[in-house]
Amino acid sequence: MKPYILVLTANFCFALGSMFFTHYARRFSSVWMNTMKASVAAIGFSLVVLFTTGFHELTFINFAIFFVSGFIALGIGDIFLIQAFAKLGPARTLVIFGFHPVIVGALSFIFFGQDIEQGKLIGIFFFICCLFTFSYEKFKSSGKWEISGLVMALAGMSLDAVGIPITRYAFDMNPSISGFEGNFYRCLGALTSYFIISRFRPFHFFAGIRSLSSRSLTLVITGSILGTFLSLGLYLEAIKTAHLASISGISITSVIFSSLFESIWEKKLPSKFLVFSFVFFFSGMYFILVGI
């Protein structure tokens, strides 16, 4: 029960933090926002580890696996994810994460021998209906089908899903590592990916920070603490021992939370297309989690 409570709390924090991510990604860029949240999280994780368990001795392979997981999922994956937030909004992007349990379930079967539940193909059909609904909504409003945002959301979701079994493998190598320590190493991988990107496409990270007012800086740090430091710390603590596909399935609660927060943030009710997509989404999740 404890892992599922941790994931539920992590989803709440991430959904709330995604409101801040979306706002500042639109103001600056997804890479700038990701660098900010990864920097704040890395500082937070290091302080927690230093004042609690202390850093453990790691083999190079163990460290490298955490690092690669962060580089792929928390680094490159989150660039696509935050860009999708900016284009589609958090609620629509997280609905697309309905594919997440499918990918995680397949990867956990390959790497850990965990069973894959039946009904996946029917669930995928309903998720495809979600994608069509979002694209049609964009077509109705602008005359153009929304493709780029959907592709970015799917890319971010896929890379995030790949990172989960990699991270789990790193924890299995050294069970004494806490979720906070593991996430610190993952943040180093993410920050390395952003540094490499900055060499080719400068995004003026420090200039962006200097342009923020005190209030805006407080908000972006708060969002980073909620959506990255707390959500990742709790999430990784859960996946250390829990069934990966089940944990991924609980992530559907982030859709509910983000939709509520988005409506409050924008001060308007969800559109009818978003409501229809919810019907498809929960139908798909039923077959993913319960089966035929």
Side-chain angles (χ1 to χ4, degrees), residues 92 259-260 263 268-275 278:
R92 289 164 179 78
S259 300
L260 174 62
S263 295
K268 63 181 182 181
L269 294 174
S271 70
K272 63 180 179 181
F273 293 100
L274 185 57
V275 173
F278 280 168

Side-chain angles (χ1 to χ4, degrees), residues 44-84:
F45 291 136
S46 64
L47 291 176
V48 170
V49 174
L50 284 172
F51 287 103
T52 54
T53 61
F55 286 95
H56 293 79
E57 290 188 8
L58 294 180
T59 64
F60 175 77
I61 295 298
N62 200 185
F63 169 79
I65 294 173
F66 277 119
F67 185 90
V68 169
S69 170
F71 190 99
I72 293 174
L74 192 57
I76 306 302
D78 272 13
I79 291 175
F80 288 111
L81 177 64
I82 302 302
Q83 187 61 33

Side-chain angles (χ1 to χ4, degrees), residues 150-161:
L150 298 177
V151 171
M152 289 176 182
L154 287 170
M157 177 272 302
S158 299
L159 291 172
D160 181 76

Side-chain angles (χ1 to χ4, degrees), residues 111-148:
F111 290 106
F112 305 107
Q114 296 182 354
D115 293 337
I116 301 177
E117 300 176 4
Q118 296 180 352
K120 293 289 191 296
L121 291 178
I122 298 177
I124 291 173
F125 169 77
F126 282 111
F127 295 144
I128 291 174
C129 290
C130 286
L131 302 185
F132 177 81
T133 301
F134 292 145
S135 188
Y136 184 69
E137 180 182 21
K138 182 68 173 181
F139 176 77
K140 290 285 288 184
S141 63
S142 66
K144 297 180 181 179
W145 293 89
E146 177 56 69
I147 301 298
S148 62

Side-chain angles (χ1 to χ4, degrees), residues 137-247:
E137 180 182 21
K138 182 68 173 181
F139 176 77
K140 290 285 288 184
S141 63
S142 66
K144 297 180 181 179
W145 293 89
E146 177 56 69
I147 301 298
S148 62
L150 298 177
V151 171
M152 289 176 182
L154 287 170
M157 177 272 302
S158 299
L159 291 172
D160 181 76
V162 169
I164 289 179
I166 295 176
T167 306
R168 173 63 176 269
Y169 183 69
F171 279 126
D172 286 349
M173 291 181 65
N174 193 340
S176 64
I177 299 295
S178 69
F180 290 100
E181 185 175 353
N183 263 314
F184 172 74
Y185 303 132
R186 295 180 78 232
C187 284
L188 294 182
L191 289 171
T192 300
S193 72
Y194 305 142
F195 175 78
I196 293 172
I197 290 172
S198 71
R199 298 299 89 191
F200 298 94
R201 292 189 62 183
F203 52 90
H204 310 294
F205 177 65
F206 293 105
I209 292 178
R210 287 193 296 269
S211 71
L212 293 171
S213 65
S214 298
R215 178 179 180 275
S216 293
L217 183 60
T218 300
L219 290 175
V220 75
I221 291 175
T222 300
S224 299
I225 292 173
L226 287 169
T228 306
F229 172 65
L230 287 177
S231 67
L232 273 182
L234 295 171
Y235 192 75
L236 255 70
E237 198 63 37
I239 70 171
K240 286 175 63 177
T241 56
H243 187 277
L244 297 187
S246 299
I247 285 291

